Short mmCIF file of all heavy atoms in Angstrom, two decimals:
data_model
loop_
_atom_site.label_atom_id
_atom_site.label_comp_id
_atom_site.label_asym_id
_atom_site.label_seq_id
_atom_site.Cartn_x
_atom_site.Cartn_y
_atom_site.Cartn_z
N SER A 44 -60.24 80.92 154.83
CA SER A 44 -60.78 79.66 154.25
C SER A 44 -60.38 78.54 155.14
O SER A 44 -59.54 78.60 156.17
CB SER A 44 -60.30 79.44 152.94
OG SER A 44 -58.85 79.15 152.95
N GLY A 45 -61.02 77.27 154.93
CA GLY A 45 -60.60 76.15 155.81
C GLY A 45 -59.00 75.81 155.76
O GLY A 45 -58.47 75.50 156.60
N GLY A 46 -58.61 75.86 154.46
CA GLY A 46 -57.10 75.61 154.23
C GLY A 46 -56.29 76.60 154.99
O GLY A 46 -55.24 76.20 155.53
N MET A 47 -56.66 77.87 154.96
CA MET A 47 -55.84 78.90 155.68
C MET A 47 -55.92 78.61 157.10
O MET A 47 -54.97 78.77 157.85
CB MET A 47 -56.34 80.34 155.34
CG MET A 47 -55.94 80.75 153.94
SD MET A 47 -56.31 82.42 153.71
CE MET A 47 -55.77 82.74 151.99
N ARG A 48 -56.99 78.33 157.63
CA ARG A 48 -57.13 78.04 159.18
C ARG A 48 -56.28 76.95 159.56
O ARG A 48 -55.70 76.93 160.56
CB ARG A 48 -58.75 77.71 159.47
CG ARG A 48 -59.50 79.14 159.47
CD ARG A 48 -60.91 78.79 160.16
NE ARG A 48 -61.76 77.76 159.47
CZ ARG A 48 -62.63 78.10 158.52
NH1 ARG A 48 -62.88 79.33 158.25
NH2 ARG A 48 -63.34 77.20 158.06
N GLN A 49 -56.26 75.85 158.64
CA GLN A 49 -55.45 74.65 159.06
C GLN A 49 -54.03 75.19 158.84
O GLN A 49 -53.18 74.69 159.82
CB GLN A 49 -55.74 73.61 157.94
CG GLN A 49 -55.12 72.16 158.38
CD GLN A 49 -55.81 71.56 159.46
OE1 GLN A 49 -56.10 72.15 160.48
NE2 GLN A 49 -56.12 70.30 159.43
N ARG A 50 -53.56 76.01 158.10
CA ARG A 50 -52.24 76.45 157.97
C ARG A 50 -51.90 77.31 159.20
O ARG A 50 -50.81 77.24 159.69
CB ARG A 50 -52.08 77.37 156.72
CG ARG A 50 -51.87 76.36 155.50
CD ARG A 50 -52.01 77.32 154.19
NE ARG A 50 -52.14 76.40 153.06
CZ ARG A 50 -51.11 76.14 152.24
NH1 ARG A 50 -49.85 76.63 152.66
NH2 ARG A 50 -51.16 75.24 151.15
N VAL A 51 -52.88 78.10 159.75
CA VAL A 51 -52.64 78.84 160.92
C VAL A 51 -52.35 77.84 162.13
O VAL A 51 -51.52 78.12 162.89
CB VAL A 51 -53.84 79.78 161.26
CG1 VAL A 51 -53.80 80.36 162.68
CG2 VAL A 51 -53.91 80.94 160.20
N MET A 52 -53.09 76.84 162.16
CA MET A 52 -52.84 75.76 163.23
C MET A 52 -51.38 75.16 163.12
O MET A 52 -50.94 74.99 164.17
CB MET A 52 -53.98 74.73 163.11
CG MET A 52 -55.43 75.12 163.63
SD MET A 52 -55.33 75.57 165.38
CE MET A 52 -54.77 74.03 166.13
N ILE A 53 -51.05 74.99 161.89
CA ILE A 53 -49.75 74.43 161.69
C ILE A 53 -48.64 75.40 162.16
O ILE A 53 -47.64 75.09 162.68
CB ILE A 53 -49.56 73.94 160.28
CG1 ILE A 53 -50.39 72.82 159.97
CG2 ILE A 53 -48.06 73.56 159.97
CD1 ILE A 53 -50.40 72.43 158.54
N ALA A 54 -48.98 76.73 161.72
CA ALA A 54 -48.03 77.76 162.11
C ALA A 54 -47.95 77.88 163.68
O ALA A 54 -46.76 77.98 164.25
CB ALA A 54 -48.45 79.17 161.59
N MET A 55 -48.90 77.75 164.43
CA MET A 55 -49.00 77.79 165.90
C MET A 55 -48.25 76.64 166.44
O MET A 55 -47.56 76.76 167.44
CB MET A 55 -50.51 77.81 166.32
CG MET A 55 -51.17 79.00 166.15
SD MET A 55 -53.03 79.08 166.72
CE MET A 55 -52.73 79.12 168.39
N ALA A 56 -48.45 75.39 165.78
CA ALA A 56 -47.82 74.18 166.33
C ALA A 56 -46.33 74.23 166.06
O ALA A 56 -45.65 73.67 166.94
CB ALA A 56 -48.34 72.95 165.53
N ILE A 57 -45.75 74.85 165.07
CA ILE A 57 -44.36 74.94 164.70
C ILE A 57 -43.68 76.16 165.30
O ILE A 57 -42.44 76.36 165.03
CB ILE A 57 -44.06 74.74 163.34
CG1 ILE A 57 -44.51 76.04 162.62
CG2 ILE A 57 -44.63 73.47 162.80
CD1 ILE A 57 -44.14 75.84 161.07
N ALA A 58 -44.39 77.02 165.90
CA ALA A 58 -44.00 78.39 166.30
C ALA A 58 -42.57 78.25 167.24
O ALA A 58 -41.76 78.99 167.23
CB ALA A 58 -45.00 79.16 167.19
N CYS A 59 -42.68 77.16 168.08
CA CYS A 59 -41.48 77.09 168.99
C CYS A 59 -40.54 75.96 168.58
O CYS A 59 -39.78 75.28 169.39
CB CYS A 59 -42.00 76.84 170.32
SG CYS A 59 -43.08 78.07 171.01
N ASN A 60 -40.54 75.51 167.34
CA ASN A 60 -39.74 74.40 166.69
C ASN A 60 -39.87 73.13 167.58
O ASN A 60 -38.79 72.70 168.26
CB ASN A 60 -38.15 74.91 166.59
CG ASN A 60 -37.94 75.95 165.68
OD1 ASN A 60 -38.79 76.28 164.90
ND2 ASN A 60 -36.89 76.81 166.01
N PRO A 61 -40.98 72.52 167.74
CA PRO A 61 -41.23 71.46 168.65
C PRO A 61 -40.34 70.15 168.07
O PRO A 61 -40.06 70.07 167.01
CB PRO A 61 -42.64 71.18 168.49
CG PRO A 61 -43.02 71.64 167.09
CD PRO A 61 -42.06 72.89 166.83
N GLU A 62 -39.94 69.31 169.21
CA GLU A 62 -39.29 68.18 168.92
C GLU A 62 -40.31 67.05 168.50
O GLU A 62 -40.03 66.11 167.70
CB GLU A 62 -38.56 67.61 170.14
CG GLU A 62 -37.50 68.54 170.54
CD GLU A 62 -37.02 68.29 171.97
OE1 GLU A 62 -36.55 67.24 172.25
OE2 GLU A 62 -37.27 69.14 172.86
N LEU A 63 -41.60 67.08 168.81
CA LEU A 63 -42.52 66.31 168.45
C LEU A 63 -43.93 67.06 168.09
O LEU A 63 -44.24 67.83 168.80
CB LEU A 63 -42.94 65.30 169.58
CG LEU A 63 -44.13 64.27 169.42
CD1 LEU A 63 -43.87 63.31 168.27
CD2 LEU A 63 -44.44 63.53 170.77
N LEU A 64 -44.52 66.66 166.85
CA LEU A 64 -45.70 67.26 166.43
C LEU A 64 -46.86 66.09 166.38
O LEU A 64 -46.54 65.13 165.64
CB LEU A 64 -45.47 67.84 165.14
CG LEU A 64 -46.69 68.36 164.43
CD1 LEU A 64 -47.31 69.54 165.11
CD2 LEU A 64 -46.44 68.76 162.82
N ILE A 65 -47.84 66.40 167.17
CA ILE A 65 -48.98 65.38 167.08
C ILE A 65 -49.97 65.99 166.08
O ILE A 65 -50.48 67.20 166.35
CB ILE A 65 -49.55 65.29 168.49
CG1 ILE A 65 -48.45 64.61 169.44
CG2 ILE A 65 -50.86 64.26 168.42
CD1 ILE A 65 -49.05 64.63 170.90
N ALA A 66 -50.25 65.29 164.97
CA ALA A 66 -51.23 65.84 164.02
C ALA A 66 -52.35 64.89 163.91
O ALA A 66 -52.38 63.83 163.45
CB ALA A 66 -50.52 65.84 162.61
N ASP A 67 -53.58 65.41 164.46
CA ASP A 67 -54.71 64.54 164.54
C ASP A 67 -55.65 64.92 163.38
O ASP A 67 -56.31 65.99 163.41
CB ASP A 67 -55.50 64.92 165.92
CG ASP A 67 -56.72 63.91 166.21
OD1 ASP A 67 -56.85 63.08 165.19
OD2 ASP A 67 -57.31 64.07 167.19
N GLU A 68 -55.69 63.97 162.44
CA GLU A 68 -56.54 64.33 161.11
C GLU A 68 -56.27 65.54 160.52
O GLU A 68 -57.16 66.47 160.45
CB GLU A 68 -57.97 64.15 161.49
CG GLU A 68 -58.42 62.83 162.02
CD GLU A 68 -58.53 61.72 160.93
OE1 GLU A 68 -58.10 61.81 159.91
OE2 GLU A 68 -58.77 60.54 161.35
N PRO A 69 -54.96 65.93 160.07
CA PRO A 69 -54.57 67.33 159.81
C PRO A 69 -55.16 67.62 158.43
O PRO A 69 -55.14 68.86 158.21
CB PRO A 69 -53.00 67.28 159.62
CG PRO A 69 -52.76 65.73 159.31
CD PRO A 69 -53.77 64.98 160.15
N THR A 70 -55.77 66.80 157.65
CA THR A 70 -56.32 67.15 156.40
C THR A 70 -57.80 66.97 156.37
O THR A 70 -58.37 67.06 155.28
CB THR A 70 -55.64 66.36 155.17
OG1 THR A 70 -55.75 65.10 155.34
CG2 THR A 70 -54.08 66.77 155.23
N THR A 71 -58.47 66.71 157.43
CA THR A 71 -59.87 66.43 157.47
C THR A 71 -60.66 67.63 156.81
O THR A 71 -60.36 68.83 157.21
CB THR A 71 -60.34 66.22 158.91
OG1 THR A 71 -59.83 64.97 159.37
CG2 THR A 71 -61.95 66.09 158.95
N ALA A 72 -61.67 67.44 156.09
CA ALA A 72 -62.61 68.38 155.43
C ALA A 72 -61.84 69.43 154.46
O ALA A 72 -62.39 70.42 154.13
CB ALA A 72 -63.16 69.19 156.61
N LEU A 73 -60.64 69.14 154.15
CA LEU A 73 -59.95 69.97 153.18
C LEU A 73 -59.97 69.37 151.65
O LEU A 73 -59.99 68.15 151.65
CB LEU A 73 -58.48 70.16 153.48
CG LEU A 73 -58.05 70.80 154.82
CD1 LEU A 73 -56.56 70.85 155.00
CD2 LEU A 73 -58.82 72.07 155.08
N ASP A 74 -60.11 70.16 150.72
CA ASP A 74 -60.10 69.63 149.32
C ASP A 74 -58.79 69.00 148.99
O ASP A 74 -57.83 69.30 149.65
CB ASP A 74 -60.55 70.67 148.38
CG ASP A 74 -59.53 71.77 148.13
OD1 ASP A 74 -58.51 71.60 147.99
OD2 ASP A 74 -59.99 72.99 148.36
N VAL A 75 -58.81 68.22 148.01
CA VAL A 75 -57.53 67.44 147.67
C VAL A 75 -56.33 68.31 147.35
O VAL A 75 -55.16 68.10 147.78
CB VAL A 75 -57.85 66.51 146.55
CG1 VAL A 75 -58.70 65.41 146.98
CG2 VAL A 75 -58.27 67.21 145.30
N THR A 76 -56.50 69.59 146.79
CA THR A 76 -55.43 70.39 146.42
C THR A 76 -54.82 70.91 147.83
O THR A 76 -53.58 70.96 147.91
CB THR A 76 -55.85 71.50 145.69
OG1 THR A 76 -56.41 71.01 144.42
CG2 THR A 76 -54.70 72.53 145.28
N ILE A 77 -55.69 71.45 148.57
CA ILE A 77 -55.16 71.87 149.95
C ILE A 77 -54.48 70.77 150.77
O ILE A 77 -53.49 70.94 151.41
CB ILE A 77 -56.19 72.55 150.78
CG1 ILE A 77 -56.83 73.80 149.88
CG2 ILE A 77 -55.70 73.15 152.08
CD1 ILE A 77 -55.76 74.95 149.48
#
């Protein structure tokens, strides 16, 4: 689902414990619950 794909992107982004995370419209096209 769209929410799961967004979570996969977040998982990829935090995989190496980054010092800085750039989140470009991280909730675009997701329903309010997600």
Side-chain angles (χ1 to χ4, degrees):
S44 67
M47 283 189 182
R48 288 193 295 266
Q49 192 73 313
R50 288 166 183 263
V51 170
M52 286 297 302
I53 294 175
M55 294 177 69
I57 67 171
C59 301
N60 298 338
E62 296 164 64
L63 173 64
L64 175 63
I65 302 172
D67 189 359
E68 302 283 4
T70 60
T71 295
L73 301 180
D74 65 57
V75 291
T76 302
I77 301 301

